[in-house]
Amino acid sequence: MKKLLLVSGLLLGLTACSSPREPQMTIAPQPSVSSVPVAQSKPVTVESRDLRTAQFVAVVDNGRKNVQPIQATSNVRVVLEDALIRQLNSQGYKVVADSKGKLRMDLLDALVKVEHSVFSHTMNTNVQIQLVADNGQNKFVKRYTGKSTTEGSTSASVEDMEMALNSLLEAVLQDIARDQQLMTFMNENF
């Protein structure tokens, strides 16, 4: 009986290992690194929230009611918060655990929608991030949005979707880095 349990356990373990895994996307946008600091070690506390309605980062529609959601390999909110912190550090801000100046990043949308037909695909990518800068008395709120559409003659790979989403996230991070209104508010109120 013990041998039978051992053999059946091994078979279950082997079948679990050999089952196909769902594809996942690696989200790793590079921050916009500044060569000239805009702040002189001004302290800022960075927080983030993921306010997306769904946690997947891509949806592939192959027609015939065959829709496949694709998840990210890591937490998108954490990855974006880390990129934003590195970006702020390069701009001369000092990110600390607690300060009067708080910058909150709300992730509102980060999604690639792919529609496949017999001989082509269309890929629509959307990113929306809201930043809230607050010192307890004054508040600055702004949304940063990015959209792109690409078409191809073959099916879209996971790598194509990763490139589309990472490129758009980097473009939105670059918009944040270049936003003079945001920098002015942070320098005057933090």
Side-chain angles (χ1 to χ4, degrees), residues 109-156:
D109 193 14
L111 185 64
V112 180
K113 292 181 182 175
V114 180
E115 291 183 20
H116 281 205
S117 65
V118 178
F119 298 112
S120 65
H121 74 270
T122 302
M123 198 165 29
N124 294 306
T125 309
N126 292 306
V127 169
Q128 189 173 41
I129 294 173
Q130 176 175 276
L131 287 184
V132 179
D134 188 2
N135 69 356
Q137 296 171 342
N138 299 318
K139 189 181 279 193
F140 175 89
V141 180
K142 189 167 183 180
R143 286 189 180 182
Y144 302 86
T145 303
K147 293 182 181 196
S148 72
T149 301
T150 56
E151 294 180 354
S153 58
T154 60
S155 62

Side-chain angles (χ1 to χ4, degrees), residues 28-100:
Q30 295 302 309
S32 180
V33 178
S34 175
S35 57
V36 179
V38 294
Q40 302 299 327
S41 297
K42 282 205 174 275
V44 60
T45 301
V46 176
E47 303 168 345
S48 62
R49 301 185 303 182
D50 191 343
L51 301 178
R52 296 176 296 156
T53 55
Q55 297 305 302
F56 44 83
V57 290
V59 177
V60 180
D61 184 353
N62 292 320
R64 296 184 217 99
K65 299 185 181 180
N66 183 11
V67 177
Q68 177 187 21
I70 299 176
Q71 303 287 336
T73 56
S74 54
N75 187 317
V76 179
R77 178 196 60 81
V78 173
V79 168
L80 279 173
E81 181 181 309
D82 180 55
L84 181 63
I85 287 172
R86 288 186 287 151
Q87 186 167 298
L88 290 168
N89 285 333
S90 79
Q91 292 176 310
Y93 293 98
K94 184 177 178 184
V95 178
V96 295
D98 191 29
S99 71
K100 76 171 187 169

